[in-house]
Amino acid sequence: DQQVKQNSPSLSVQEGRISILNCDYTNSMFDYFLWYKKYPAEGPTFLISISSIKDKNEDGRFTVFLNKSAKHLSLHIVPSQPGDSAVYFCAAREYTGGFKTIFGAGTRLFVKA
Amino acid sequence: KAGVTQTPRYLIKTRGQQVTLSCSPISGHRSVSWYQQTPGQGLQFLFEYFSETQRNKGNFPGRFSGRQFSNSRSEMNVSTLELGDSALYLCASSLAGQGSFNGYTFGSGTRLTVV
């Protein structure tokens, strides 16, 4: 039962253009949504988060949009840079007596120079 | 400020053996979570510890267990290893309980290979 889904295993974008990574979820009890970036042989690095009571959060080149009615989350990277090439994980947190963060399967982003 | 430290970085074990992995969280972080990463499966939640208590558990068999010590360091143990347990095991710590949540800080992981 995948509560957090990233349906695109990979995405290729030209340098300077916008990268849009998508994520869908099923559990309406999630209170925070997060994006992580992961390079090979390293642990995931926190990128940006958004509370379930907001619909947009921006941090530099990264913006996360939340559409609660559609249970959809997206990460926009503008402009995309070759150093952004990595695997991006969407994650959502719920509290069930303790915190549990559930991750999607990841989307590999390739930014071509 | 030291990050999350996981030891060892790499481990090769034989089927049927058991293994213990260690995680030292960021100083002051009391919540420690463990994840298993396999190709195509993303990060699968194993368990979360807070103040030496397991507060949440994922859908893994009882061969997977863990504990947390009074200094917040955590260990996870896998008994009777199977080939399918080969994965990257990640530990993450956070300041649990805060109103705003800026996610976890992950260690670099322990790469376990079962042969």
Side-chain angles (χ1 to χ4, degrees):
Chain A
D1 175 28
Q2 279 188 292
Q3 296 188 60
V4 179
K5 297 180 186 178
Q6 293 177 259
N7 293 317
S8 299
S10 66
L11 174 69
S12 186
V13 170
Q14 199 67 38
E15 180 181 8
R17 307 294 276 268
I18 184 171
S19 295
I20 301 176
L21 297 114
N22 294 302
C23 179
D24 296 298
Y25 64 95
T26 58
N27 186 346
S28 57
M29 299 304 293
F30 290 136
D31 66 343
Y32 267 92
F33 300 88
L34 310 100
W35 285 94
Y36 285 83
K37 181 166 78 169
K38 186 179 187 299
Y39 295 114
E42 294 181 12
T45 303
F46 170 75
L47 203 54
I48 191 169
S49 67
I50 186 168
S51 164
S52 60
I53 62 173
K54 297 190 175 181
D55 55 19
K56 178 182 174 182
N57 188 25
E58 198 170 346
D59 183 3
R61 296 185 298 114
F62 302 92
T63 303
V64 57
F65 294 93
L66 176 62
N67 182 333
K68 286 187 70 177
S69 60
K71 292 191 171 68
H72 181 80
L73 186 69
S74 63
L75 174 69
H76 292 210
I77 306 173
V78 184
S80 301
Q81 300 173 353
D84 296 330
S85 297
V87 176
Y88 288 78
F89 290 99
C90 167
R93 188 185 82 160
E94 65 174 334
Y95 183 79
T96 54
F99 291 111
K100 181 164 75 173
T101 299
I102 299 170
F103 285 76
T107 296
R108 184 175 295 277
L109 174 66
F110 299 93
V111 180
K112 297 175 288 187
Chain B
K1 197 177 195 180
V4 177
T5 304
Q6 289 188 249
T7 56
R9 284 298 306 274
Y10 302 93
L11 207 47
I12 299 176
K13 288 286 190 178
T14 305
R15 266 185 305 176
Q17 286 187 310
Q18 74 162 16
V19 67
T20 299
L21 311 181
S22 179
C23 172
S24 294
I26 288 176
S27 178
H29 283 196
R30 295 167 64 192
S31 170
V32 174
S33 298
W34 287 90
Y35 288 84
Q36 180 196 64
Q37 186 189 10
T38 52
Q41 292 296 314
L43 278 69
Q44 303 293 314
F45 174 76
L46 281 154
F47 21 67
E48 188 232 3
Y49 285 89
F50 182 82
S51 292
E52 303 177 65
T53 300
Q54 184 184 91
R55 295 199 301 187
N56 221 328
K57 192 176 190 302
N59 298 323
F60 279 81
R63 300 185 297 106
F64 291 81
S65 63
R67 58 178 175 167
Q68 187 180 34
F69 301 95
S70 57
N71 61 358
S72 294
R73 191 176 71 84
S74 177
E75 289 181 346
M76 69 162 278
N77 184 278
V78 188
S79 62
T80 320
L81 283 166
E82 300 176 1
L83 294 179
D85 297 333
S86 296
L88 179 67
Y89 289 88
L90 291 159
C91 166
S93 73
S94 73
L95 280 167
Q98 283 186 314
S100 63
F101 180 57
N102 284 328
Y104 298 107
T105 301
F106 280 86
S108 296
T110 294
R111 170 74 61 188
L112 172 65
T113 302
V114 183
V115 297

